[in-house]
């Protein structure tokens, strides 16, 4: 395994650098970057990124605080480590579908072809196992010309299934020297293992990861591709739920949106919609019964407005579903915990409660647009974003970097070591301003566990002033 490359500088500067082929292959030759003769780039004032350019992880720091962690800036380098005619690249897509995957495939192929003159690109079908048990597709600009207009992936996909030795054997036997891997956290962990095996064998192969997570739960980077499209498409479901709910007495629309452990899609879709009365995400626990519970809030909102829209994240409320206890440790082939359908469960709970306890007739409609959202083509902003991701990946591989993933950090694209995006998941911080904006928009309560409320009330002590005034102190 190639060790982490940590470089320190003055004023608390830290660069978490990415591996390079020259770290384990000595005396590699370099070549002039073909971009310097590319007419498309002749109008660019500065072709190449300065070798010392880095991107700060934190955009805001105090005057006297350390400069903090940085990552190597993405972009073309003056010298490359591959001759164009010698490059044999491959692209593989893994995991669930996400808007923008086809755009990435297209732009990697076209970027290699038009910027660097690389004409040998192979598509691996069916995810990781496609390296050793599936067909392959030769990819050219003509083949990929219109694929960005379609959802899904033209290469097919699968979860799990990687046999590291077989994959690297296939890469070595085919003579592939650039591997572009598109996938989520499980896929990127697999890419890291493949990179390590390639390093152990001393192969001149660049391994580049492009993180895919429609949930937007990839750490470090600003945003995952496909997220904007998912939020846009989620609006359709929320609008349908709102129309259904307001068209009938005591109408309730329940919409389940994606987010296994992070509630970014529901958060942004709710803020964009302004038709949502309550948004439930995994990061903010809620409860159903009793004072301050969801049932009480539903009754209150129905009395005020006559209708209500609830958005719930697929990973929210799992601890409340007793049936899920037996499946808590079950996983899919990517290692993701299997979740119960919280949308159906919540819808039934609401129906049962109001039928049995409130004696109140409600009309509830449940909408689950999950797979519709994943399968749509990407919108304009994601298409542009995927183009930048693909070009950054190509520039990095041609420059000899390996064992890295690409993504924007504070608006600038950077090369990030695999371990940084595999170490944790990004989550909504419910103590920051964005969550406060949502609460302000929906006017929903901050659901606290009843035990917390009881515990807090015990901490309250009343003090009698001589004039008889009562004031409360929370210790």
């Amino acid at each position: 395994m190639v060790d982490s490359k940590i470089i320190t500088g003055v004023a608390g500067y830290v660069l978490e650098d990415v591996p390079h082929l020259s770290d384990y292959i000595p005396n590699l030759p370099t070549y002039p970057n073909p971009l310097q003769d590319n007419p498309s780039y002749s109008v660019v004032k500065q072709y190449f990124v300065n070798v010392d350019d880095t991107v700060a992880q934190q955009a805001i720091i105090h005057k006297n605080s350390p400069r903090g962690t940085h990552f190597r800036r993405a972009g073309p380098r003056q010298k490359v480590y591959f001759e164009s005619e010698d490059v044999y690249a491959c692209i593989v897509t893994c995991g669930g579908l996400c808007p923008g995957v086809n755009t990435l495939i297209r732009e990697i192929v076209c970027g290699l072809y038009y910027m660097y003159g690389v004409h040998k690109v192979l598509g691996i079908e069916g995810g990781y196992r496609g390296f050793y048990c599936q067909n392959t597709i030769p990819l050219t600009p003509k083949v990929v010309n219109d694929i960005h207009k379609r959802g899904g992936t033209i290469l097919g996909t699968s979860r799990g299934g990687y046999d590291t030795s077989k994959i690297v054997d296939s890469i070595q036997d085919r003579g592939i020297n650039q591997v572009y891997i598109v996938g989520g956290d499980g896929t990127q962990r697999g890419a890291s293992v493949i990179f390590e095996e390639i390093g152990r064998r001393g192969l001149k192969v660049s391994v580049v990861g492009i993180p895919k997570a429609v949930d937007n739960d990839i750490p470090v980077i600003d945003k995952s591709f496909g997220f904007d499209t998912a939020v846009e498409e989620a609006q359709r479901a929320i609008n349908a739920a709102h129309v259904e709910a307001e068209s009938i007495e005591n109408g309730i629309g329940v919409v389940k949106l994606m987010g296994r452990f992070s509630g970014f899609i529901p958060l942004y879709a709710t803020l964009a919609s302004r038709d949502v009365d309550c948004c439930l995400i995994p990061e903010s626990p809620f409860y159903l019964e009793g004072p301050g519970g969801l049932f009480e809030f539903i009754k209150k909102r129905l009395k005020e407005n006559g209708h209500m829209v609830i958005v719930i994240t697929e990973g929210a409320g799992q601890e409340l579903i007793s049936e899920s206890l037996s499946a808590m440790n079950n996983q899919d082939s990517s290692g993701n915990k299997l979740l119960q359908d919280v949308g159906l469960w919540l819808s039934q709970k609401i129906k049962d409660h109001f039928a049995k306890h409130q004696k109140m007739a409600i009309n509830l409609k449940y909408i689950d647009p999950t797979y519709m959202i994943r399968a749509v083509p990407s919108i304009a902003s994601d298409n542009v974003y995927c183009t930048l991701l693909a070009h950054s990946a190509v520039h990095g591989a041609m420059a000899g970097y390996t064992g890295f993933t690409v993504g924007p950090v504070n608006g600038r694209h950077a090369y990030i070591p695999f371990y940084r995006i595999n170490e944790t998941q990004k989550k909504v911080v419910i103590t920051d301003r964005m969550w406060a904006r949502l609460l302000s928009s929906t006017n929903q309560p901050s659901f606290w566990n009843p035990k917390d409320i009881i515990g807090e009330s015990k901490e309250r002590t009343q003090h009698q002033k001589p004039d008889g005034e009562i004031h409360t102190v929370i210790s």
Side-chain angles (χ1 to χ4, degrees), residues 224-415:
S224 303
F225 77 85
F227 175 69
D228 282 353
T229 304
V231 172
E232 183 71 27
E233 195 67 17
Q235 300 298 291
R236 301 177 188 273
I238 292 173
N239 182 62
H242 183 248
V243 170
E244 288 282 355
E246 71 173 354
S247 298
I248 195 166
E249 183 181 6
N250 290 332
I252 300 175
V254 177
V255 180
K256 186 183 76 172
L257 295 178
M258 289 173 291
R260 299 180 64 83
F261 306 105
S262 303
F264 288 102
I265 291 177
L267 167 61
Y268 280 80
T270 294
L271 280 172
S273 168
R274 303 289 170 173
D275 286 331
V276 178
D277 297 279
C278 186
C279 178
L280 304 171
I281 64 173
E283 296 89 340
S284 182
F286 66 96
Y287 61 100
L288 301 179
E289 300 178 356
L294 179 61
F295 290 154
E296 182 182 80
F297 178 61
I298 292 173
K299 182 179 180 181
K300 175 176 176 289
R301 189 53 57 93
L302 289 178
K303 286 185 175 180
E304 291 173 347
N305 297 340
H307 66 276
M308 182 178 189
V309 174
I310 300 171
V311 168
I312 186 163
T313 319
E314 61 179 324
Q318 291 294 314
E319 70 282 357
L320 300 178
I321 310 177
S322 59
E323 291 81 7
S324 71
L325 293 177
S326 60
M328 287 292 278
N329 295 319
N330 291 347
Q331 297 179 334
D332 64 19
S333 53
S334 292
N336 298 314
K337 185 169 70 174
L338 293 174
L339 302 178
Q340 300 295 308
D341 191 331
V342 70
L344 281 174
W345 172 84
L346 179 64
S347 298
Q348 193 59 51
K349 282 289 186 181
I350 293 171
K351 291 177 183 177
D352 292 345
H353 174 80
F354 280 89
K356 296 176 182 178
H357 302 291
Q358 298 295 336
K359 308 300 181 184
M360 183 178 183
I362 64 165
N363 292 277
L364 188 146
K365 300 294 189 295
Y366 172 52
I367 299 175
D368 179 359
T370 301
Y371 293 105
M372 294 177 64
I373 290 175
R374 296 193 335 172
V376 299
S378 51
I379 62 174
S381 62
D382 271 323
N383 276 336
V384 174
Y385 179 20
C386 287
T387 300
L388 298 178
L389 281 174
H391 287 189
S392 294
V394 167
H395 292 317
M398 291 297 297
Y401 294 110
T402 183
F404 70 92
T405 189
V406 295
V409 179
N410 294 323
R412 296 286 186 179
H413 282 244
Y415 299 140

